[in-house]
Amino acid sequence: MQYRTIARTAVSAIGLGAMPLSIEHRPDEARAIATVHAALDAGVTLIDTADSYHWHAGEAGHNELLIARALARYGGDTSDVLVATKGGRGRPGDGSWSVTATPAHLKRAAEASARRLGVDAIGLYQLHKPDPAVPWAESVGALRELLDAGTIRAAGISNVTTAQIRQAHRILGDGLVSVQNRYSPAVRDSEPELRLSTRLGLAFLPWSPLGGIARSSLDGPSGPTSAGTAFHQVAAEHGVSPQQVALAWLLARSPAVIPVPGASRPTSAADSARAVELTLSTEELARLEDTALPGRTGGVSE
């Protein structure tokens, strides 16, 4: 495994997006835990979760509890695993997503997440999405208070614009360590946010990083995929999966990038982790850069 940094913490260059283990079409618990263990076996030390990663009403925190159980049952050392969770979104149970980022809600949510994860302080707590009903500075201010109280050790923001990154950076200073936006071969509209994150020394964690190569958990069975593109051609030339090529392409975009691909099977988690072993040539990167894949901007956001 290769490593990159979130602030001063070294983490695996490829993380595990745990959302597919708890939302619609989720696997049974045995396979879910086996998926987490396969990622750990492959050297993954960053696991991305959220209190809203669940399927039915009344099961908030399902994914956090699952990750806590998986770590507790793992036979090896997990002391270097960074669990990054998020607050500010909800799921009523009808398939929709809500947004609540009031300071009071975020403080309660962070405390509840810490209890579910079984930690004194959350390693990385991310504001899941800006709430249009709450001034951005107030929501970010809640992260500042959580940092000062020791409830969280570092703060991140997700689904944000460059202006929101700059404002959060002014409020949080060194306490802001990461940005998590949708970014993939098919969805590249967060390029400005990636560039700014790189300049500010913030980790950039692409969610749904395999867009256009594999369906996101949010897309459902009918989501768009592509075949026969340069990503598939390069994969065939290297004898690896197109998913590995997509992740290697992301890693080459910036040293700030740490993809968090989702997985619901042990083989998928292990395959993604092996992307760090793939080095793409300048010519291959140019071929991939010019590839237009089916995707979307906007729409449902995680």
Side-chain angles (χ1 to χ4, degrees), residues 6 12 16 22 25 35 39 52 57 75 82-83 127 173 208 216 220 236 246 256 265:
I6 299 179
S12 54
L16 172 67
S22 290
H25 316 295
T35 299
S52 57
L82 175 63
V83 177
L127 201 166
S208 196
S216 163
R265 294 178 176 82

Side-chain angles (χ1 to χ4, degrees), residues 11-22:
V11 298
S12 54
I14 300 288
L16 172 67
M19 183 176 72
L21 303 177
S22 290

Side-chain angles (χ1 to χ4, degrees), residues 91-124:
R91 301 207 72 199
D94 61 359
S96 66
W97 297 72
S98 60
V99 183
T100 307
T102 62
H105 173 82
L106 290 172
K107 292 173 192 174
R108 288 194 302 269
E111 291 165 357
S113 290
R115 288 193 296 271
R116 287 189 288 263
L117 293 170
V119 297
D120 295 328
I122 296 170
L124 173 56

